[in-house]
Amino acid sequence: PIGRTLMVHVVPFSEDMLLLMSEDITQGERLQTMRRDFVANVSHEMRTPLTVVAGFLETVIDGLDDLEKDDISHYLGLAHEQAGRMQRLIQDLLTLSALESDAPILQEEAVDVASLLKEVLQEARVVSAGRHRIDLDCATHARLLGNAKELYSAMANLAINAVRYTPEGGRIQISWRQRGSVVEYAVKDDGIGIAPEHIPRLTERFYRVDRGRSRETGGTGLGLAIVKHVLSRHQGDLLIDSEPGRGSTFTACFPARRLVA
Ligand code: ADP
């Protein structure tokens, strides 16, 4: 087929015959390109905050004799913020690599949905710091079979994104519903929304609609990649419905057979 890369091997077969063997290496090549892109992306993501940290530290070192105490603590504070960004990036990379290692879900248990979502709500409210109205609609005593830590990280990621991409005064609704054979965890916001052409690529590592904005809000660009992995390990799916300027709804769907009585 067109678009595939073939490697041809020429092997002497007998005195007067050569054997031609072709091998399809398309997949291997694609993996190598992905690996190269990934290393380039990670290096770039690390270099930016590191440059800022180095810059602020240099300013402090050079100005130790002349700078006011307040200025020194201002510069150190900024350096500290960037170090935090690097820590988050490394944490997300480690999470992603553990999820990709294909290990079976560790410690699968019956996770109490209501208390999991209460914690998600609390975390979203901490990140929002009172700037949004955030509600939780969850009238269930259901328990979902899965890994509590992974599920929390996926659900909290969606809720925190809603906070990050919704201007002050916006409304965020977190809900849990069962619809026939599917259970849905949905996070709806009335924030900036996403243009349709970006939606299919959002779960790629480091894909962002607006690089600058994501940086400003402290994002690593890995959140939705982590969400997608966690969901697929729980036979779940992610649906994204969004309109620029009106808001987004991110829905995680799980098969209802994962519910335990
Ligand atoms: P980031 O750390 O950049 O938020 P994610 O993987 O969590 O990385 O999200 C990828 C991109 O998807 C974001 O940079 C942002 O452009 C977009 N996005 C995610 N959630 C929302 C949302 N609720 N509203 C608008 N855009 C969003």
Side-chain angles (χ1 to χ4, degrees):
I2 294 169
R4 302 200 77 81
T5 311
L6 298 181
M7 168 107 86
V8 178
H9 303 267
V10 183
V11 189
F13 184 63
S14 62
E15 267 187 12
D16 53 356
M17 269 173 99
L18 289 174
L19 195 63
L20 284 184
M21 290 192 304
S22 72
E23 184 190 357
D24 188 341
I25 57 164
T26 317
Q27 185 67 8
E29 208 178 61
R30 197 177 298 147
L31 275 178
Q32 263 196 5
T33 313
M34 277 172 62
R35 203 168 297 147
R36 257 198 312 269
D37 285 355
F38 181 63
V39 172
N41 273 328
V42 172
S43 314
H44 178 79
E45 297 290 333
M46 289 296 283
R47 193 176 53 188
T48 315
L50 204 51
T51 308
V52 180
V53 170
F56 286 134
L57 291 183
E58 201 180 313
T59 310
V60 171
I61 293 167
D62 289 349
L64 265 185
D65 296 331
D66 320 312
L67 282 172
E68 299 284 330
K69 210 170 160 207
D70 278 358
D71 291 332
I72 293 181
S73 84
H74 174 69
Y75 288 126
L76 290 181
L78 293 172
H80 185 242
E81 207 174 274
Q82 295 299 314
R85 217 177 105 186
M86 286 188 279
Q87 277 176 328
R88 278 197 301 279
L89 179 63
I90 291 183
Q91 186 52 53
D92 278 359
L93 283 169
L94 289 173
T95 305
L96 204 54
S97 111
L99 290 170
E100 282 176 346
S101 69
D102 270 342
I105 293 173
L106 298 169
Q107 299 159 357
E108 201 169 85
E109 55 189 303
V111 182
D112 183 79
V113 173
S115 36
L116 190 74
L117 296 196
K118 253 186 228 149
E119 279 179 49
V120 169
L121 174 71
Q122 269 170 10
E123 180 158 359
R125 285 189 170 151
V126 168
V127 177
S128 159
R131 289 174 296 126
H132 308 85
R133 179 171 155 204
I134 312 178
D135 298 311
L136 170 63
D137 172 13
C138 166
T140 184
H141 298 290
R143 290 179 305 155
L144 185 72
L145 205 57
N147 181 287
K149 227 171 121 194
E150 289 186 18
L151 288 171
Y152 179 79
S153 121
M155 293 176 175
N157 246 304
L158 295 179
I160 291 169
N161 272 351
V163 172
R164 284 201 188 127
Y165 299 103
T166 300
E168 188 161 352
R171 172 145 196 235
I172 293 156
Q173 290 160 279
I174 304 173
S175 62
W176 178 268
R177 293 245 179 296
Q178 177 160 3
R179 291 184 203 278
S181 60
V182 174
V183 279
E184 296 178 350
Y185 163 78
V187 180
K188 178 175 167 33
D189 67 57
D190 57 5
I192 61 171
I194 306 155
E197 67 269 23
H198 294 292
I199 291 181
R201 301 198 56 192
L202 291 183
T203 56
E204 287 174 24
R205 302 150 162 182
F206 298 119
Y207 188 87
R208 290 141 160 156
V209 175
D210 177 347
R211 206 157 263 277
R213 184 178 182 117
S214 161
R215 288 251 169 71
E216 244 171 62
T217 55
T220 62
L222 296 173
L224 291 179
I226 292 175
V227 170
K228 186 183 147 194
H229 274 286
V230 170
L231 295 189
S232 82
R233 280 156 68 88
H234 291 78
Q235 285 108 39
D237 262 327
L238 180 65
L239 305 179
I240 306 171
D241 180 26
S242 186
E243 208 182 314
R246 302 203 67 145
S248 315
T249 304
F250 284 73
T251 310
C253 309
F254 301 93
R257 66 186 135 80
R258 292 196 78 90
L259 293 179
V260 228

